[in-house]
């Protein structure tokens, strides 16, 4: 009987310990942004762009300001199915329009909801951009994958 | 990794307890066994109060009724309610629900002393829960463009799940028992039609396919009227 009482106590403490150690999911940033890889049209290899700036149409604050980068993350709008950005390197400017759809997804009881986005088409001007390829149209929450490749002159 | 450690810990605990009790049974096989007092027990499960202390978002209470079918088998019914209210900057969630569990426990503990009514048992439950939940506000942050806010109106759905459990029950005072169970749970059916997932299912916990839980209850047993079978018997006759 004493043994059962001791085990009862241990079991209760163990159960509480397990409950307290429940894992929580972690909210990640950049979850609603197109991931863009930059490449040279001449070598077809990944390349670095310098003095790179990007901002949304009619927005005053920039996403990149004269940055040196190989990859760019451009967040898409939730209130529209089209998101337009102005991209610049040195004095050359191009405009890119992303057509996309969104689907709501439940993340966790801590973080609530997020969107999974899907690229449908991209339209762009060609001052320093040569061509654009959609490599993966799905921008899913909690996934880290390149969506678009931009080939520059 | 943590889930695996839980499996290992619980498995080790169960195997140790089971093997030691079986070993003791083997040694005492020839001794005289005394029957336990049979009766109907009513109890309160304090596990929801312990969980509320750990996680203030949830409130609830469970009650149970346990009755001897014979010396080895118990019929058990459990019922309770659970409310869950959570507010953070990104997500508000509210749920009210109740649950019902029906099942049996099988006692493997043969006492070797008179008046020992303790139990070591395995059991199974079939469980049903109903809940009404919704989210009056949630926010999806963008970081550059406008954020998105939405809501889900309250609606109801139900969940069916099964449980396998291991329990220890000891009489601390005459007819008053403390009972601890550890439970493995499996989701069978959930009728939730929306993307809004419950933060907690009453009686089940987080809405994963498999889950663990525990109960810590205080039970008062009302003995059945005494019968001939209350007399001491040899172990062989009991088995």
């Amino acid at each position: 009987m004493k043994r059962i009482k001791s085990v009862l106590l241990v079991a209760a403490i163990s159960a509480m310990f397990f409950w307290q150690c429940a894992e929580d999911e972690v909210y990640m940033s950049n979850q609603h942004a197109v991931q863009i890889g930059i490449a040279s049209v001449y070598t077809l290899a990944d390349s670095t762009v310098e003095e790179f700036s990007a901002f949304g149409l009619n927005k005053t604050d920039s996403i990149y300001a004269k940055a040196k980068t190989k990859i760019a993350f451009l967040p898409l709008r939730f209130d529209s199915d089209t998101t337009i950005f102005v991209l610049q390197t040195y004095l050359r400017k191009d405009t890119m329009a992303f057509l996309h759809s969104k689907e709501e997804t439940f993340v966790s009881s801590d973080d609530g909801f997020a969107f999974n986005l899907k690229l449908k088409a991209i339209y762009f001007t060609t001052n320093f951009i040569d061509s654009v390829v959609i490599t993966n149209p799905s921008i899913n929450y909690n996934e880290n994958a390149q969506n678009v490749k931009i080939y520059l002159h | 990794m943590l889930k695996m450690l839980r499996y290992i810990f619980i498995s080790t605990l169960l195997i140790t307890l089971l093997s030691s009790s079986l070993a003791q049974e083997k040694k005492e096989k020839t001794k005289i066994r005394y029957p336990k007092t049979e009766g109907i027990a009513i109890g309160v499960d304090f596990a929801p109060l312990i969980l509320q202390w750990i996680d203030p978002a949830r409130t609830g209470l469970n009650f149970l009724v346990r009755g001897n079918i014979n010396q080895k088998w118990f019929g058990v019914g459990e019922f309770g309610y659970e409310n869950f209210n959570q507010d953070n900057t990104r997500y508000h969630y509210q749920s009210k629900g109740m649950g019902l569990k029906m099942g049996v426990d099988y006692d493997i503990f043969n006492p070797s002393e008179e008046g020992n009514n303790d139990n070591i048992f395995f059991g199974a439950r079939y469980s049903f829960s109903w809940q009404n939940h919704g989210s009056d506000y949630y926010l999806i942050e963008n970081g550059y463009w406008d954020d998105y806010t939405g809501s889900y109106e309250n609606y109801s759905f139900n969940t069916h799940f099964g449980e396998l459990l291991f329990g220890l029950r000891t009489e601390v005072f005459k007819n008053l028992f403390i009972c601890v169970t550890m439970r493995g749970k499996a989701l069978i059916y959930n009728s939730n039609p929306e993307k809004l997932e419950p933060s907690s299912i009453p009686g089940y916990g987080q809405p994963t396919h498999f889950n663990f839980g525990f109960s810590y209850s205080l039970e008062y047993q009302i003995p059945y009227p005494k019968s001939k079978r209350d007399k001491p018997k040899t172990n062989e006759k009991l088995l």
Side-chain angles (χ1 to χ4, degrees):
Chain A
M1 188 148 157
K2 273 181 186 172
R3 192 182 58 174
I4 292 181
K5 281 175 184 163
S6 309
V7 174
L8 274 176
L9 186 65
V10 171
I13 292 166
S14 305
M16 287 172 66
F17 171 77
F18 288 133
W19 187 270
Q20 281 183 307
C21 291
E23 286 174 282
D24 288 330
E25 291 185 50
V26 178
Y27 187 81
M28 294 177 72
S29 57
N30 279 330
Q31 291 298 325
H32 303 109
V34 186
Q35 189 178 139
I36 297 172
I38 295 165
S40 163
V41 72
Y42 305 111
T43 62
L44 301 181
D46 292 345
S47 78
T48 301
V49 62
E50 293 183 356
E51 295 284 306
F52 178 74
S53 299
F55 53 91
L57 192 68
N58 300 326
K59 293 277 280 184
T60 51
D61 50 333
S62 59
I63 304 161
Y64 292 92
K66 296 185 177 179
K68 184 179 177 182
T69 185
K70 279 184 179 177
I71 297 172
F73 292 90
L74 302 180
L76 301 180
R77 298 172 73 128
F78 296 154
D79 56 353
S80 171
D81 289 340
T82 304
T83 309
I84 301 172
F85 296 97
V86 176
L87 310 183
Q88 182 173 358
T89 174
Y90 295 103
L91 294 175
R92 295 183 297 171
K93 279 186 183 177
D94 269 320
T95 302
M96 287 185 84
F98 294 86
L99 274 61
H100 51 85
S101 61
K102 66 178 184 292
E103 188 183 10
E104 203 172 69
T105 181
F106 186 81
V107 177
S108 73
S109 54
D110 286 328
D111 296 318
F113 288 88
F115 282 123
N116 285 335
L117 301 156
K118 195 153 206 163
L119 291 176
K120 290 180 170 176
I122 300 173
Y123 298 98
F124 55 95
T125 57
T126 54
N127 292 316
F128 69 94
I129 296 173
D130 177 83
S131 54
V132 170
V133 176
I134 298 176
T135 51
N136 175 17
S138 299
I139 303 159
N140 291 334
Y141 181 84
N142 230 358
E143 278 182 16
N144 182 21
Q146 192 177 91
N147 306 108
V148 172
K149 195 86 152 180
I150 296 181
Y151 294 91
L152 305 182
H153 292 300
Chain B
M1 182 67 185
L2 187 61
K3 282 182 180 172
M4 193 184 289
L5 283 174
R6 282 187 206 176
Y7 279 117
I8 293 166
F9 188 91
I10 289 170
S11 305
T12 310
L13 187 68
L14 294 183
I15 290 164
T16 308
L17 290 170
L18 184 60
S19 58
S20 66
S21 65
L22 289 176
Q24 193 186 19
E25 270 181 43
K26 220 172 187 178
K27 277 183 197 169
E28 298 169 351
K29 203 164 187 177
T30 53
K31 287 182 184 175
I32 293 173
R33 302 290 180 182
Y34 293 91
K36 299 172 187 178
T37 307
E38 295 183 7
I40 288 183
I42 51 173
V44 181
D45 175 14
F46 293 101
L49 300 179
I50 297 168
L51 294 178
Q52 186 182 343
W53 176 60
I54 296 165
D55 179 8
R58 83 178 64 220
T59 54
L61 201 58
N62 291 338
F63 302 92
L64 67 94
V65 178
R66 173 195 300 280
N68 280 98
I69 299 168
N70 56 36
Q71 280 283 308
K72 293 285 185 188
W73 288 93
F74 294 93
V76 185
E78 300 175 52
F79 53 96
Y81 76 94
E82 184 186 81
N83 297 339
F84 196 100
N85 286 293
Q86 171 189 309
D87 283 353
N88 64 39
T89 52
R90 283 197 298 270
Y91 183 52
H92 293 187
Y93 176 79
Q94 54 281 332
S95 166
K96 288 183 177 179
M98 57 184 77
L100 177 69
K101 301 177 182 183
M102 301 294 286
V104 289
D105 289 338
Y106 180 75
D107 186 5
I108 60 167
F109 180 62
N110 292 320
S112 56
E113 59 197 64
E114 192 170 10
N116 186 336
N117 292 313
D118 293 350
N119 311 108
I120 298 172
F121 57 84
F122 289 95
R125 303 279 185 276
Y126 188 84
S127 311
F128 167 85
S129 77
W130 170 91
Q131 72 189 104
N132 180 278
H133 78 165
S135 172
D136 59 15
Y137 171 83
Y138 63 85
L139 169 73
I140 304 177
E141 290 174 307
N142 187 289
Y144 186 69
W145 303 98
D146 290 343
D147 295 335
Y148 179 91
T149 59
S151 66
Y152 274 91
E153 279 193 25
N154 279 39
Y155 63 92
S156 300
F157 66 97
N158 54 62
T159 307
H160 294 250
F161 55 96
E163 293 184 0
L164 291 175
L165 61 91
F166 172 76
L168 303 166
R169 186 172 177 259
T170 186
E171 190 174 28
V172 286
F173 296 106
K174 179 96 178 146
N175 295 326
L176 191 67
F177 291 80
I178 284 178
C179 178
V180 166
T181 65
M182 300 187 85
R183 301 166 182 235
K185 307 177 186 188
L187 201 63
I188 296 168
Y189 172 73
N190 183 311
S191 70
N192 183 11
E194 300 284 351
K195 286 177 181 168
L196 177 67
E197 287 186 16
S199 293
S200 178
I201 296 169
Y204 186 80
Q206 292 181 345
T208 48
H209 289 296
F210 297 98
N211 215 342
F212 283 100
F214 72 99
S215 71
Y216 196 91
S217 56
L218 192 64
E219 300 175 16
Y220 181 74
Q221 181 166 287
I222 303 157
Y224 291 147
K226 292 213 169 190
S227 65
K228 284 180 184 176
R229 66 179 175 182
D230 289 339
K231 289 177 182 174
K233 292 176 181 178
T234 61
N235 186 54
E236 286 74 14
K237 281 178 187 172
L238 277 171
L239 289 173

